[in-house]
C-alpha cells in the first residue's frame, strides 16, 4: 500500500517536472526568483496599507506584531533569494549541500506558509536523486543555511507566542 502510494506520488512529481521542463538548475532559478520578488510584492502591499490607513510603518508594526514578524520573514526570503540567485552555479555543483539546503528550506518554508517554495524544494530533492556529487565544498553555503533556518525558527516561535497571547485574551 505504502509503496504504491509513494510510486504514484513520485510519478506525479516526475510528470509535473517533465511538463514544466524542471531540472536542478531551473528549480533553483525559480526558487531564487520567487524568494527575491515575493518580499518586494509584500513590501508594496505594506506600503499600500500604510497609505490607505494613513499610518506609519512603525505604528503598523507596533499595533500588529504579526506584520513585524512577516517583515522579518520577508527580509530573510529576500536575502536568501538574492544569495541563491548570485551563487546558483556554485550551489548546483555541490549536490550534498544542495540536498541539505532543500530539506531545511522545505520545512522552514512550509512553517512560514510559503507553499510554492516548499513544492519547489520537493521537486528539487526529486531532481537531485539522479545526479552525481562533484564533492565541491562550499563552506559559506552552510552558514547561509544555518542563519536562514535560525531566523525562520525565530519567526515561527514569535508567531506561536502571538497566537498564545491571543488565546489568553
Amino acid at each position: 500500500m505504502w509503496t504504491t502510494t509513494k510510486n504514484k506520488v513520485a510519478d506525479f512529481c516526475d510528470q509535473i517536472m517533465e511538463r514544466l521542463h524542471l531540472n536542478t538548475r531551473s528549480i533553483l532559478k525559480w526558487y531564487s526568483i520567487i524568494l527575491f520578488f515575493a518580499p518586494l510584492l509584500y513590501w508594496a502591499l505594506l506600503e499600500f496599507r500604510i497609505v490607505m490607513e494613513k499610518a506609519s510603518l512603525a505604528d503598523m508594526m507596533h499595533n500588529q506584531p504579526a506584520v513585524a514578524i512577516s517583515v522579518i520573514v520577508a527580509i530573510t526570503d529576500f536575502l536568501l533569494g538574492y544569495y541563491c540567485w548570485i551563487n546558483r552555479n556554485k550551489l548546483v555543483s555541490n549536490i550534498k549541500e544542495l540536498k541539505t539546503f532543500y530539506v531545511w528550506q522545505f520545512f522552514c518554508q512550509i512553517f512560514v506558509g510559503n507553499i510554492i517554495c516548499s513544492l519547489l524544494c520537493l521537486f528539487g530533492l526529486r531532481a537531485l536523486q539522479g545526479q552525481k556529487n562533484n564533492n565541491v565544498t562550499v563552506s559559506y553555503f552552510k552558514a547561509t543555511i544555518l542563519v536562514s533556518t535560525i531566523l525562520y525558527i525565530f519567526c515561527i516561535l514569535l508567531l506561536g507566542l502571538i497566537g498564545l497571547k491571543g488565546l489568553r485574551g
Side-chain angles (χ1 to χ4, degrees), residues 62-76:
H62 182 69
N63 294 335
Q64 301 171 355
V67 171
I69 295 168
S70 296
V71 167
I72 296 170
V73 170
I75 291 170
T76 305

Side-chain angles (χ1 to χ4, degrees), residues 13 27 30 68 75 85 161:
C13 287
I27 290 170
W30 281 108
I75 291 170
W85 181 261
L161 288 174

Side-chain angles (χ1 to χ4, degrees), residues 92-107:
V92 170
S93 65
N94 190 344
I95 305 302
K96 183 179 178 185
E97 293 294 325
L98 193 57
K99 184 176 182 179
T100 304
F101 172 74
Y102 279 144
V103 168
W104 280 106
Q105 282 302 299
F106 170 74
F107 289 113

